[in-house]
């Protein structure tokens, strides 16, 4: 027996920083493409650069790191890139907000500079947190989605898609965010229940001058009404079939069409169809072949079609028109209702459907293919694949990929000034057509020598959806691609299945005719303690840095593993994180005790109690194996905690103490074997505390070890565990009832079934 090799009395978060820099200087996680080991590569989600990192996301990235560490300790060489997402509308909007001015009020170049400045201000706080939580990725090669290199690949793959005939331009009704001032894809639309007013308005039947009542939430769209519908079976309105209705205020006539879309129970049962109040209108215009009337322009203001309301914003026009209708006694009732309103995912502004010309990437004809590919991808947990399938089933239009924004990858196209021909540059270079000189001498069609550069940019998912190709060095390093692409895993949150997951699968299918990855790991979302979405505006936001500073990364990681069923949402609880730190301290304390003793060889005969705990340990290893295989860290985290907390520390360590102090070979062999096994088992989840103990006690890094593999064990022994717990608890309880200290001598008999442990139990309880 010597001084404990673990000097400090408690596990402290401050050890983590020192360990992290040790890992770095030792190059512990360096990826070696030439290694003979099997390769697993990770399509790491690039966290969006902003001032802070959501605690739920930090938990997610901790889980991704556990996958990587599990794979490494299972014999894989893991390629684990790190990255930052710095493209898109979010940066634009944050910059606009900061300076209180719309980007369209700046020269484009100046605005882009301001965006770059803001990104620099946000700085590397995300990378700092990634390091603090112990991510074992390559911090020397962090890629950024707004780098010239990345944007070059986005543009090169777009050029490929164009050449394959998969891109087209079309003038059609599109989701339009009046605040972001751009078209957005269906995947970027969310729905919110919003208060709105349902106006009951009098219309007239042209043929009979009969009054009919129509309810609408969008009176400002009266000018764009092209039909009214009644349900074919609605007996109240059978007589209106084939007649025409006069629109109030505009005095235009439109047909009454019997159609199942009209719901007899909503409003008055008659519904007006306008271009475009909602998705339903868009579909009906197409189906009924109606001529759209463009009532709203790209600034979300009313056009001249709205008559005297032209130039007003949509909401202003709604109010004004409703007032005018009321003055003319044409509104006979108003009703407050909750309305399921489509809003922009980023800024929550209700979207409009406006006619606009945009570029589209074909996806409708590939939906079946993508569904088939989903069957070839292994999902963790398998049930989360359904989120993707549900989305695929809801896709109704091709993907609008052009955006009218600034801080994004430019669409690499020019147009001949004289004949309008679209000119495609050669791939392999980063193009900014709004400012760069056109890379062509003359138009092959008309010989024109002047070109106009495209000013629009890509939807940010056009960049993100090639992340798997970018990290695999597609179009750059064939050998690397060949080795790294086939065994790739995509970890990500459930909230971006319909965008990032789906679009990446689409792109890989269109470009390579291949599945995007072999595995997809889908995590749930971090919610507050009451299960509500956590956000700064709701006031329930928890900053992650103070938590990490106080409890350390391993507590956070252990909590993330132990509290989250694979793929489910989870609640962020400071109390639980604190609880996790208590467990780490427990582990530290027993390790410190064991570290007083020299490790010994396995003796020829092991004491019965040692055989018993080693059997228990094998059972634990088996349980952990099952969890690790599924990347379900909930299983090993809870199994290890339960074993250490409820069996190993209170019962076995107490039983073995007296033999350990007397230098018994079997005892010393067993305590060290058990400790090493526990540390290796826990290393993917808590890389700091396990490595600190392993280094201090065994002079090596636990991260170079392999995960233990379960051996057969004697189940007769493990069945005794309950009996041991029962007996010990009984003695403790009796001593307490008699006000005896736990180390007092006591008269009791060891039960028959536990006679094999008699010596240890007698020593432990000081039985007379
Ligand atoms: Zn928006
Ligand atoms: Zn031309």
């Amino acid at each position: 027996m010597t001084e404990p090799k673990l000097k400090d009395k408690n596990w402290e978060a401050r050890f983590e920083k020192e360990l992290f820099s040790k890992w770095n200087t030792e190059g512990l996680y360096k990826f070696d493409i030439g290694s003979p080991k099997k390769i697993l590569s990770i399509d790491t989600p690039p966290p969006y650069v902003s001032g802070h990192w959501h605690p739920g996301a930090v938990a997610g990235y901790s889980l991704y790191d556990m996958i990587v560490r599990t794979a490494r300790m299972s014999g894989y060489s893991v390629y684990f890139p790190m990255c930052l997402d710095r493209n898109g509308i979010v940066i634009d909007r944050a910059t606009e907000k900061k300076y209180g001015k719309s980007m369209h009020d700046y020269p484009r170049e100046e605005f882009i500079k301001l965006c770059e400045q803001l990104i620099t201000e946000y700085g590397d706080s995300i990378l700092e947190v990634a390091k603090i939580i112990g991510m074992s990725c390559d911090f020397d090669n962090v890629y950024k989605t707004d780098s010239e290199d990345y944007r070059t690949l986005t543009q090169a793959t777009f050029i490929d898609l164009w050449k394959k005939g998969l891109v087209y331009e079309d003038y059609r009704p599109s989701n339009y965010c009046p605040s972001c001032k751009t078209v957005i894809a269906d995947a970027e639309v969310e729905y919110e229940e919003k208060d709105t007013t349902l106006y009951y308005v009098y219309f007239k039947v042209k043929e009979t001058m009969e009054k009919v009542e129509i309810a609408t939430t969008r009176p400002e769209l009266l000018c764009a009404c092209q039909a009214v519908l009644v349900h074919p079976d609605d007996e109240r309105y059978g007589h209106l079939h084939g007649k025409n209705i006069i629109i109030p205020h505009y005095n235009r006539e439109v047909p009454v069409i019997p159609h199942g879309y009209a719901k007899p129970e909503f409003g008055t049962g008659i519904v007006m169809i306008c271009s475009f109040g909602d998705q339903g209108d868009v579909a009906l215009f197409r189906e009924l072949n109606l001529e759209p009337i463009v009532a709203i322009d790209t600034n979300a203001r009313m056009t001249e079609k709205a008559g005297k309301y032209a130039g007003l914003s949509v909401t202003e026009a709604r109010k004004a028109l409703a007032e005018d209708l009321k003055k003319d006694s044409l509104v006979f009732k108003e009703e407050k209702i909750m309305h399921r309103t489509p809003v922009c995912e980023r800024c929550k502004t209700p979207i409009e459907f406006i006619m606009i010309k945009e570029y589209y990437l074909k996806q409708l004809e590939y939906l079946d293919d993508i569904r088939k590919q989903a069957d070839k991808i292994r999902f963790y947990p398998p049930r989360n694949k359904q989120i993707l399938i549900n989305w695929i089933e809801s896709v109704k239009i091709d993907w609008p990929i052009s955006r009218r924004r600034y801080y994004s990858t430019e669409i690499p196209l020019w147009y001949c000034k004289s004949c309008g021909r679209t000119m495609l540059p050669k791939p392999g270079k980063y193009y900014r057509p709004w400012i760069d000189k056109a890379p062509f001498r003359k138009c092959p069609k008309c010989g024109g020598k002047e070109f106009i550069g495209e000013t629009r940019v890509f939807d940010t998912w056009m960049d993100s959806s090639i992340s798997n190709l970018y990290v695999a060095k597609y179009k750059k390093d064939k050998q690397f691609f060949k080795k790294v692409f086939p065994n790739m895993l995509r970890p990500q949150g459930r909230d971006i299945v319909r965008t990032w997951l789906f679009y990446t699968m689409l792109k890989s299918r269109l470009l390579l005719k291949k599945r995007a990855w072999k595995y997809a790991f889908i995590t749930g979302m971090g919610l507050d303690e009451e299960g509500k979405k956590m956000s700064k505006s709701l006031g329930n936001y928890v900053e992650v840095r103070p938590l990490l500073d106080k409890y350390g990364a391993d507590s956070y990681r252990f909590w993330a593993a132990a509290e989250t069923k694979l793929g489910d949402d989870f609640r962020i609880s400071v109390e639980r994180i604190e609880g996790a730190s208590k467990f780490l301290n427990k582990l530290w304390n027993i390790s410190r005790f064991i570290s007083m003793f020299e490790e010994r060889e396995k003796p020829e005969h092991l004491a019965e109690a040692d055989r018993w705990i080693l059997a228990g340990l094998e059972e634990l290893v088996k349980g952990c194996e099952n969890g690790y295989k599924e990347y379900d860290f909930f299983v090993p985290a809870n199994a290890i905690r339960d074993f250490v907390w409820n069996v190993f520390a209170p019962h076995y360590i107490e039983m073995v103490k007296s033999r350990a102090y007397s230098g018994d070979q079997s005892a010393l062999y067993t305590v060290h074997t058990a400790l090493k096994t526990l540390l290796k088992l826990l290393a993917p989840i808590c890389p700091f505390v396990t490595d600190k103990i392993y280094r201090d006690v065994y002079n090596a890094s636990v991260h170079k070890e392999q995960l233990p593999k379960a051996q057969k064990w004697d189940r007769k022994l493990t069945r005794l565990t309950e009996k041991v717990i029962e007996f010990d608890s009984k003695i403790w309880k009796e001593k307490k009832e008699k006000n005896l200290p736990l180390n007092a001598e006591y008269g009791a008999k060891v039960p028959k079934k536990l006679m094999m442990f008699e010596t240890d139990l007698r020593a432990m309880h000081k039985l007379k």
Side-chain angles (χ1 to χ4, degrees):
M1 198 175 89
T2 57
E3 280 291 299
K5 289 198 176 104
L6 300 183
K7 301 279 178 265
D8 298 82
K9 284 220 166 104
N10 294 299
W11 167 247
E12 284 174 45
R14 67 184 166 90
F15 301 146
E16 293 179 347
K17 207 171 174 188
E18 193 187 312
L19 279 160
F20 188 83
S21 68
K22 234 179 225 166
W23 296 343
N24 254 0
T25 44
E26 290 172 6
L28 205 53
Y29 310 120
K30 273 260 174 303
F31 172 64
D32 174 11
I33 184 80
S35 154
K37 291 179 184 175
K38 286 177 289 179
I39 290 172
L40 176 71
S41 42
I42 310 293
D43 183 12
T44 316
Y48 207 93
V49 171
S50 66
H52 55 92
W53 211 7
H54 192 285
V58 175
Y61 280 77
S62 304
L63 296 177
Y64 308 159
D65 184 61
M66 292 175 206
I67 294 176
V68 169
R69 291 178 181 277
T70 303
R72 252 190 232 115
M73 290 184 78
S74 309
Y76 282 91
S77 171
V78 185
Y79 174 51
F80 187 17
M82 188 54 189
C83 38
L84 292 171
D85 190 7
R86 319 206 313 168
N87 268 327
I89 297 184
V90 181
I91 296 288
D92 275 346
R93 289 192 61 92
T95 307
E96 285 177 326
K97 206 171 154 193
K98 184 175 170 188
Y99 298 100
K101 205 164 128 185
S102 158
M103 62 173 209
H104 299 284
D105 299 335
Y106 292 91
R108 186 161 176 163
E109 239 178 323
E110 192 183 312
F111 186 77
I112 288 174
K113 282 216 178 85
L114 291 178
C115 290
E116 279 164 356
Q117 253 173 41
L118 185 67
I119 294 171
T120 319
E121 257 173 57
Y122 285 152
D124 293 339
S125 67
I126 282 184
L127 293 181
E128 227 171 273
V129 174
K131 286 175 184 172
I132 290 173
I133 61 168
M135 279 181 66
S136 57
C137 48
D138 186 355
F139 284 104
D140 293 335
N141 295 301
V142 176
Y143 79 80
K144 296 168 182 169
T145 55
D146 63 343
S147 68
E148 201 174 313
D149 198 43
Y150 198 101
R151 287 181 169 179
T152 299
L153 186 63
T154 301
Q155 292 184 336
T157 47
F158 168 77
I159 292 166
D160 285 353
L161 295 168
W162 181 283
K163 287 182 181 159
K164 287 175 193 278
L166 296 166
V167 181
Y168 63 94
E169 202 176 22
D170 194 21
Y171 181 69
R172 60 162 74 160
S174 309
N175 307 314
Y176 189 84
C177 172
S179 171
C180 295
K181 291 204 169 43
T182 187
V183 162
I184 58 175
D186 283 352
E188 298 165 284
V189 174
E190 278 178 1
Y191 288 86
E192 274 181 9
E193 290 291 331
K194 281 194 184 288
D195 275 334
T196 188
T197 307
L198 186 62
Y199 298 95
Y200 287 75
V201 183
Y202 286 125
F203 288 55
K204 258 185 203 153
V205 180
K206 182 197 161 200
E207 287 79 1
T208 60
M209 293 311 272
E210 172 196 355
K211 252 190 203 173
V212 288
E213 301 157 355
I214 301 181
T216 176
T217 56
R218 305 284 310 258
E220 77 280 11
L221 290 180
L222 282 175
C223 62
C225 177
Q226 285 290 49
V228 299
L229 307 185
V230 294
H231 195 277
D233 304 333
D234 194 338
E235 288 169 5
R236 293 172 294 175
Y237 304 122
H239 65 289
L240 295 180
H241 297 186
K243 300 220 165 52
N244 293 287
I245 295 273
I246 299 173
I247 298 166
H249 196 88
Y250 292 97
N251 294 320
R252 235 171 3 94
E253 48 185 88
V254 299
V256 179
I257 302 173
H259 195 284
Y261 181 80
K263 291 190 214 87
E265 68 282 1
F266 182 79
T268 62
I270 312 183
V271 54
M272 60 176 206
I273 303 302
C274 308
S275 58
F276 296 102
D278 55 28
Q279 288 280 25
D281 285 348
V282 174
L284 285 161
F285 264 74
R286 208 176 302 144
E287 183 193 325
L288 303 171
N289 212 6
L290 302 170
E291 183 70 28
I293 296 173
V294 180
I296 301 170
D297 68 13
T298 53
N299 289 314
R301 300 205 164 258
M302 304 308 293
T303 64
E304 77 286 356
K305 301 278 187 218
K308 67 183 256 210
Y309 310 101
L312 296 184
S313 77
V314 172
T315 29
E316 286 164 358
R318 185 175 310 159
K319 258 193 213 146
L321 189 52
E323 282 311 311
D324 286 349
L325 289 170
K326 277 192 249 177
K327 266 185 228 150
D328 297 341
S329 307
L330 288 170
V331 173
F332 67 97
K333 189 169 134 189
E334 285 173 52
E335 198 176 271
K336 289 273 174 227
I337 58 163
M338 290 300 275
H339 190 61
R340 191 167 173 266
T341 311
V343 299
C344 167
E345 173 192 65
R346 292 186 187 83
C347 68
K348 315 295 173 202
T349 307
I351 60 162
E352 296 295 342
F353 299 90
I354 67 163
M355 292 297 290
I356 196 164
K357 204 171 177 187
E358 297 292 0
Y359 280 111
Y360 288 83
L361 180 62
K362 289 186 184 171
Q363 61 183 12
L364 289 175
E365 40 196 286
Y366 298 96
L367 295 178
D368 265 344
D369 268 21
I370 295 174
R371 206 176 287 124
K372 275 181 210 144
Q373 279 175 2
D375 292 336
K376 291 186 207 146
I377 294 170
R378 183 165 173 195
F379 281 78
Y380 299 91
R383 66 173 187 282
N384 277 1
K385 180 168 121 186
Q386 196 55 38
I387 306 169
L388 172 70
I389 301 301
N390 294 348
W391 175 249
I392 292 174
E393 274 163 17
S394 77
V395 173
K396 295 281 180 288
I397 57 164
D398 284 332
W399 177 13
I401 52 171
S402 45
R403 298 285 181 273
R404 291 151 200 274
R405 303 295 304 181
Y406 287 169
Y407 201 77
S408 293
T409 304
E410 288 83 353
I411 298 179
L413 291 176
W414 275 266
Y415 309 96
C416 171
K417 205 169 178 181
S418 41
C419 78
R421 184 193 159 102
T422 306
M423 305 282 293
L424 203 63
K426 282 203 186 82
K429 228 188 121 214
Y430 171 44
Y431 297 102
R432 298 178 307 158
W434 57 274
I435 188 172
D436 290 351
K437 197 176 161 287
F440 320 101
R441 278 217 201 99
K442 60 176 188 181
C443 169
K445 194 172 156 196
C446 75
K449 287 187 175 153
E450 281 185 88
F451 306 94
I452 301 164
E454 172 61 63
T455 55
R456 283 171 291 175
V457 298
F458 285 122
D459 176 2
T460 184
W461 296 110
M462 277 291 277
D463 296 291
S464 312
S465 56
I466 52 158
S467 61
N468 60 334
L469 304 182
Y470 183 81
V471 298
K473 301 192 197 290
Y474 178 59
K475 283 179 178 275
K476 216 175 202 182
D477 185 337
K478 272 192 184 153
Q479 281 307 100
F480 192 92
F481 185 80
K482 222 171 125 189
K483 279 189 162 178
V484 153
F485 188 72
N487 205 41
M488 193 173 272
L489 179 144
R490 156 67 68 83
Q492 66 159 72
R494 210 182 52 196
D495 54 330
I496 48 176
V497 165
R498 58 187 196 169
T499 46
W500 196 35
L501 192 94
F502 173 76
Y503 287 143
T504 311
M505 291 179 70
L506 174 70
K507 284 283 203 67
S508 296
R509 165 60 187 81
L510 297 183
L511 290 161
L512 301 168
K513 290 197 176 154
K514 284 196 167 113
R515 67 174 175 203
W517 335 265
K518 197 167 176 186
Y519 315 98
F521 177 87
I522 317 275
T523 49
M525 308 307 295
L527 307 171
D528 78 355
E529 290 194 54
E530 274 146 28
K532 289 199 207 100
K533 199 171 169 184
M534 193 183 256
S535 79
K536 287 199 164 162
S537 56
L538 290 173
N540 59 354
Y541 190 81
V542 180
E543 291 283 350
V544 82
R545 266 308 279 276
L547 285 178
L548 292 173
D549 291 343
K550 184 163 178 196
Y551 300 111
D554 268 1
S555 302
Y556 202 82
R557 293 174 61 116
F558 186 83
W559 160 79
E563 300 293 334
T564 315
K565 264 314 265 174
L566 181 61
D568 283 357
D569 288 343
F570 51 99
R571 298 177 181 201
I572 292 157
S573 151
V574 178
E575 199 186 316
R576 298 281 189 155
I577 296 167
E578 190 177 355
S581 76
K582 285 184 185 146
F583 165 65
L584 299 187
N585 229 359
K586 185 85 184 172
L587 179 70
W588 180 265
N589 287 334
I590 53 167
S591 305
R592 188 162 185 264
F593 168 75
I594 294 171
S595 81
M596 293 193 300
F597 305 99
E598 283 306 320
E599 192 183 356
R600 299 284 288 274
E601 291 283 301
K602 188 176 182 179
E604 215 164 298
H605 294 289
L606 284 167
E608 296 292 348
D610 300 334
R611 287 196 334 119
W612 161 67
I613 202 65
L614 291 174
L617 207 60
E618 289 306 332
E619 191 180 38
L620 171 70
V621 170
K622 183 76 201 161
C624 292
E625 251 176 21
N626 291 336
Y628 278 127
K629 217 167 54 199
E630 299 300 321
Y631 296 136
D632 186 357
F633 305 106
F634 178 87
V635 173
N638 282 288
I640 296 166
R641 174 165 58 187
D642 186 52
F643 183 81
V644 169
W645 204 288
N646 297 326
V647 180
F648 189 69
H651 300 284
Y652 175 70
I653 289 289
E654 292 306 318
M655 265 164 99
V656 81
K657 259 182 184 167
S658 94
R659 273 193 295 126
Y661 282 126
S662 67
D664 175 63
Q665 186 184 353
S666 173
L668 299 191
Y669 162 77
T670 306
V671 288
H672 281 287
T673 303
L675 178 59
K676 277 199 221 168
T677 306
L678 288 172
L679 295 175
K680 285 185 237 174
L681 272 186
L682 190 60
I685 299 171
C686 298
F688 290 106
V689 68
T690 53
D691 202 34
K692 170 80 175 156
I693 298 171
Y694 211 86
R695 280 171 190 263
D696 287 1
V697 182
Y698 305 113
N699 295 315
S701 172
V702 74
H703 301 305
K704 286 190 171 167
E705 303 287 347
Q706 295 290 294
L707 275 177
K709 288 202 174 82
Q711 312 293 321
K712 275 204 176 127
W713 69 91
D714 185 347
R715 283 164 202 264
K716 264 186 270 153
L717 286 170
T718 42
R719 276 197 287 271
L720 290 174
T721 304
E722 236 171 85
K723 298 277 169 218
V724 172
I725 295 174
E726 213 173 89
F727 175 70
D728 289 342
S729 309
K730 181 173 151 263
I731 303 287
W732 288 329
K733 192 172 158 230
E734 286 175 10
K735 281 185 174 176
K736 204 178 158 202
E737 280 167 1
K738 291 176 180 157
N739 278 326
L740 293 169
L742 286 183
N743 60 2
E745 289 201 346
Y746 194 68
K749 266 191 184 162
V750 173
K752 226 185 190 168
K753 281 203 170 143
L754 299 179
M755 279 314 275
M756 57 206 293
F757 307 141
E758 195 192 7
T759 324
D760 286 343
L761 287 173
R762 290 180 77 94
M764 171 178 174
H765 294 294
K766 296 235 166 79
L767 300 183
K768 280 189 280 199

